[in-house]
Amino acid sequence: MKSFDPPRRILMGPGPSDVSPRVLAALSRPTVGHLDPAFQGLMEEIKDALSRLMNAPGYACLPLPAPGTAGMEAAIMNLLEPGDVAAVAVNGQFGERMVDMAGRAGAEVLRIEHDWGTPVDAQKVADALKGRKVKTLGFVHAETSTGALSDPGPLCAIAREAGALTIVDCVTSLGGVPVDAAGWGADVIYSGTQKCLSAPPGLSPFAMSPRAREAVAGRKEKARNWLLDMGLIMSYWGGEGGRTYHHTAPINALYGLHEALVVIEEEGLAAAHARHRAMHEALVAGLEAAGLSLLVAPGHRLPQLNAVKVPDGIDEAQVRSRMLAKYSLEIGAGLGPLKGQIWRIGLMGASATPWHVRLCLTALTEALAAQNYPDAGKAALAAAEARLG
Ligand SMILES: *Cc1c(COP(=O)(O)O)cnc(C)c1O
């Protein structure tokens, strides 16, 4: 064997996003023991920073030791018991994943169906929950499979009225658009490190409300997963009554998350959100000047994930492979029913810069022109430039 030397890529797909040199440097700092007093200080800082980032005061906040999907699994496996009714609003791939998981938890799943590319509809959810005894309502804030943004406040209010706990997937939203656990009244929210936080994948920031913790404490039977059992994991992360061994924390990965949180606080959360929006507007101006259009209607678009319709007669996979080969630039393909129909262009975290917007428009229009699509490179860049100011 030889050392692995990865190619240098520019990551503008659905995640991971580009990781800044500061975060990469933090990852390579010396490993300490996970019960070292210095490391415990870092854990407390991460918990506090996550609580600020998600606006989750009074919630149990911690980074779970696995990628975003672990947050989903922890939420579902801790809150649901066999026989419970789990309502899930499905408007893309990740709602679909919640349905699968809730079924595995033994719950009776109440699917609330939406067209892919549309946001979750509060009226549909209210109608579905009416007169039913529902334990949880799950939905995705930022659907990465389609680029649609849903409004969690009204959905959480409907769930509360129906006596249900809410599970809000904030994997792609956190750091890119406002996440407001307390303002929404959400019970569990979870995220991932490799989208708008621009750290490597492998951790899942997680927050659980006091009400949800009570529900977990009152379970009839133990959660069937051990690693992500909230009662057990909080004996390590909670810090109350001394920290006891539960699992060995991914120490260096947590250095990376800590640095990513420092980076975001230095910029300021509001400034980071404004930057994502500005880069999105510049990208969309460029795409439209090139004759391309987006899947999601204006007003429901995610700034950090742009689903672009593939024009008729274009081989979409060939466009992506040319962009990767010539520009070392990665964008994403469509999933499920949108396979072959869209590209997914991420503007997440460190990948949301004017430089990324210009490079992506250059590479995409060049790859399209290579398939006899009218050469729109100049027009696209000029339109984006006018927005970038
Ligand atoms: C990426 C993503 C996930 C899964 O996260 P992993 O880190 O890949 O496990 C879940 N939900 C949404 C909305 C995502 O974008």
Side-chain angles (χ1 to χ4, degrees):
M1 290 182 79
K2 284 192 302 185
S3 300
F4 178 64
D5 185 21
R8 275 35 166 190
R9 300 291 195 211
I10 295 119
L11 300 177
M12 297 186 73
S17 57
D18 281 352
V19 179
S20 73
R22 274 179 72 170
V23 171
L24 289 174
L27 290 163
S28 68
R29 288 178 191 149
T31 304
V32 296
H34 75 115
L35 297 175
D36 192 299
F39 185 70
Q40 296 190 18
L42 174 106
M43 290 168 79
E44 289 305 312
E45 284 195 12
I46 289 175
K47 282 162 57 179
D48 290 347
L50 290 180
S51 170
R52 291 191 293 274
L53 188 61
M54 302 189 280
N55 189 32
Y59 286 56
C61 295
L62 74 162
L64 299 175
T69 305
M72 187 187 292
E73 191 151 304
I76 286 174
M77 294 300 172
N78 280 280
L79 292 182
L80 291 168
E81 296 191 64
D84 286 342
V85 178
V88 181
V90 180
N91 65 337
Q93 180 88 2
F94 292 102
E96 205 61 74
R97 185 174 293 184
M98 274 194 194
V99 166
D100 186 3
M101 273 191 200
R104 288 165 192 246
E108 180 197 326
V109 182
L110 174 63
R111 278 179 76 103
I112 308 170
E113 208 67 57
H114 292 72
D115 290 335
W116 284 41
T118 63
V120 176
D121 180 63
Q123 192 57 51
K124 255 189 199 177
V125 171
D127 291 346
L129 264 49
K130 192 170 286 166
R132 304 229 18 188
K133 191 169 177 294
V134 174
K135 181 71 175 287
T136 56
L137 169 68
F139 61 92
V140 179
H141 182 208
E143 232 324 330
T144 322
S145 60
T146 67
L149 177 66
S150 293
D151 183 3
L155 300 172
C156 291
I158 290 163
R160 207 160 42 245
E161 196 128 304
L165 296 161
T166 41
I167 300 172
V168 188
D169 180 316
C170 294
V171 175
T172 282
S173 49
L174 191 65
V177 292
V179 166
D180 185 5
W184 299 335
D187 289 299
V188 176
I189 70 173
Y190 59 86
S191 189
T193 42
Q194 78 276 26
K195 314 252 170 143
C196 295
L197 300 183
S198 274
L203 296 170
S204 177
F206 188 85
M208 190 174 245
S209 72
R211 200 165 73 121
R213 288 188 79 180
E214 257 170 53
V216 173
R219 287 179 64 94
K220 292 195 267 307
E221 56 170 66
K222 288 182 182 177
R224 294 191 180 183
N225 53 344
W226 192 92
L227 178 63
L228 300 175
D229 177 312
M230 267 312 122
L232 297 178
I233 208 167
M234 287 309 288
S235 68
Y236 177 52
W237 272 94
E240 304 105 10
R243 207 159 244 136
T244 52
Y245 169 70
H246 172 258
H247 66 281
T248 308
I251 293 151
N252 289 58
L254 289 163
Y255 297 168
L257 172 59
H258 183 273
E259 189 67 16
L261 294 168
V262 171
V263 167
I264 213 166
E265 291 210 350
E266 280 180 8
E267 181 179 15
L269 202 46
H273 296 153
R275 172 170 54 83
H276 282 88
R277 181 144 298 282
M279 295 310 111
H280 161 73
E281 284 169 3
L283 179 75
V284 170
L287 293 169
E288 287 177 346
L292 299 166
S293 57
L294 271 72
L295 173 75
V296 177
H300 302 298
R301 290 174 182 166
L302 279 173
Q304 62 271 52
L305 194 287
N306 299 271
V308 182
K309 289 187 195 161
V310 176
D312 288 340
I314 296 292
D315 179 337
E316 74 80 23
Q318 214 175 316
V319 167
R320 284 184 293 111
S321 56
R322 187 176 173 104
M323 289 171 78
L324 191 68
K326 278 200 73 175
Y327 297 88
S328 226
L329 175 61
E330 179 185 284
I331 64 169
L335 295 174
L338 295 173
K339 190 171 188 290
Q341 315 276 308
I342 57 166
W343 293 295
R344 292 183 299 152
I345 301 179
L347 292 167
M348 299 182 179
S351 296
T353 74
W355 182 85
H356 285 83
V357 170
R358 293 182 187 114
L359 182 72
C360 182
L361 290 171
T362 303
L364 178 60
T365 52
E366 195 269 350
L368 283 168
Q371 288 187 44
N372 299 320
Y373 186 86
D375 187 356
K378 271 206 179 115
L381 280 170
E385 220 56 63
R387 288 305 186 104
L388 291 168

